[in-house]
């Protein structure tokens, strides 16, 4: 199973909005509404930011939102803050055959706050 | 809040076997959850290794399936990862996590354990 495709880097100024894309196939992103997004600061474990495309776990700021169209999911960060500078990964449920369910991550995007 | 802690050797010889354990606290390994392993090579992205359900059912990444095994240790409230025939390409930080519901919703993570494959 191939990694989902994300842009290597995205940047924005404080207060701006940025969007990170996550492109897969009909076997993963396009086939299920099981897409999650993770934030990872250097040396730390990933943190779940969104699940089921657009749902936020308790404690996650509403500045983070998600959507999906076809084989591409997107994460939008509004009102960009310095603390949002991190690596972001999408993840999707994947089923390449009926007997092989699993998960696949995106290639990762480094967000820089200018 | 559920807490997870990985443990195991930090250095494994090529062609050897990597073994890690994930201890779960403030929660039960027999709860209605999937438990997973994820790894991250130095300066690279995340890779899903596999998962185990509280009743013992497992799913593995097809690229690792021939070398990986995940098991439960209910008496010690922990689960384990075994990866055989390791090479330098298996050098990574290995994370364990708990899945929320259905989907790639890995809500609680361990801090990660660096395993280096080298002679």
């Amino acid at each position: 199973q191939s990694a989902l495709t994300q842009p290597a880097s995205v940047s924005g100024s404080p207060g701006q909005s940025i969007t990170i894309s996550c492109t897969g196939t009909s076997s993963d992103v396009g086939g299920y509404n099981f897409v999650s997004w993770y934030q990872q600061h250097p040396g730390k474990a990933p943190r779940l930011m969104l699940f089921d495309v657009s749902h936020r776990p308790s404690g996650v700021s509403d500045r983070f939102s998600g959507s999906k169209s076809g084989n591409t999911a997107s994460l939008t960060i509004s009102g960009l803050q310095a603390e949002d500078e991190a690596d972001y990964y999408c993840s999707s449920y994947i089923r390449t055959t009926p007997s092989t369910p699993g998960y696949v991550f995106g290639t990762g995007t480094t967000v820089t706050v200018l | 809040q559920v807490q997870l802690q990985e443990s195991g050797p930090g250095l494994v010889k090529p062609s050897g076997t990597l073994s890690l354990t994930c201890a779960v606290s403030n929660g039960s390994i027999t709860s209605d959850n999937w438990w997973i392993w994820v790894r991250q090579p130095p300066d690279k992205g995340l890779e899903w290794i596999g998962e185990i359900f509280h009743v013992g059912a497992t799913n593995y990444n097809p690229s690792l399936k021939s070398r990986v095994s995940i098991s439960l240790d209910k008496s010690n409230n922990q689960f384990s990862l075994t990866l055989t025939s390791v090479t330098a390409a298996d050098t990574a930080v290995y994370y364990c996590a708990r899945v929320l519901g259905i989907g790639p919703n890995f809500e609680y993570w361990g801090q990660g354990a660096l395993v280096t494959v080298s002679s």
Side-chain angles (χ1 to χ4, degrees):
Chain A
Q1 50 201 41
S2 300
L4 308 173
T5 301
Q6 298 181 231
S9 62
V10 173
S11 62
S13 300
Q16 287 186 330
S17 294
I18 62 169
T19 297
I20 303 169
S21 61
C22 170
T23 301
T25 69
S26 58
S27 294
D28 39 64
V29 175
Y32 311 93
N33 286 323
F34 292 139
V35 176
S36 298
W37 288 90
Y38 295 87
Q39 177 190 66
Q40 187 180 34
H41 287 110
K44 300 294 187 181
R47 177 192 178 193
L48 180 64
M49 305 301 285
L50 295 174
F51 65 95
D52 293 352
V53 176
S54 59
H55 292 81
R56 284 184 301 275
S58 175
V60 173
S61 170
D62 59 4
R63 298 186 298 104
F64 292 84
S65 61
S67 63
K68 193 189 85 166
S69 177
N71 295 338
T72 299
S74 299
L75 167 70
T76 297
I77 308 175
S78 305
L80 199 61
Q81 300 180 359
E83 67 204 49
D84 300 331
E85 188 162 288
D87 292 330
Y88 291 82
Y89 294 91
C90 60
S91 182
S92 173
Y93 178 79
I94 182 171
R95 186 179 282 266
T96 50
T97 72
S99 62
T100 53
Y103 301 108
V104 60
F105 283 98
T107 50
T109 299
T110 297
V111 169
T112 301
V113 181
L114 301 172
Chain B
Q1 175 164 315
V2 176
Q3 295 181 318
L4 299 94
Q5 177 70 58
E6 305 89 350
S7 62
L11 181 64
V12 181
K13 294 186 185 302
S15 78
T17 297
L18 179 158
S19 296
L20 291 172
T21 296
C22 180
V24 179
S25 56
N26 297 329
S28 174
I29 199 76
T30 59
S31 62
D32 193 17
N33 290 101
W34 287 87
W35 305 88
I36 68 156
W37 287 95
V38 170
R39 70 180 183 179
Q40 185 172 35
D43 297 321
K44 293 188 178 180
L46 301 167
E47 180 180 32
W48 176 75
I49 298 171
E51 62 180 356
I52 188 164
F53 197 43
H54 68 95
V55 295
T58 54
N59 294 305
Y60 300 119
N61 187 324
S63 68
L64 299 170
K65 189 173 184 177
S66 63
R67 299 193 292 129
V68 69
S69 175
I70 299 175
S71 60
L72 290 173
D73 180 355
K74 296 180 181 180
S75 60
N76 289 303
N77 208 40
Q78 59 188 26
F79 62 107
S80 298
L81 169 71
T82 300
L83 184 66
T84 61
S85 304
V86 297
T87 68
D90 295 310
T91 293
V93 174
Y94 286 77
Y95 294 100
C96 58
R98 191 183 87 167
V99 183
L100 167 67
I102 299 173
N105 317 322
F106 313 140
E107 60 173 334
Y108 296 115
W109 293 69
Q111 63 186 28
L114 174 62
V115 179
T116 301
V117 178
S118 175
S119 56

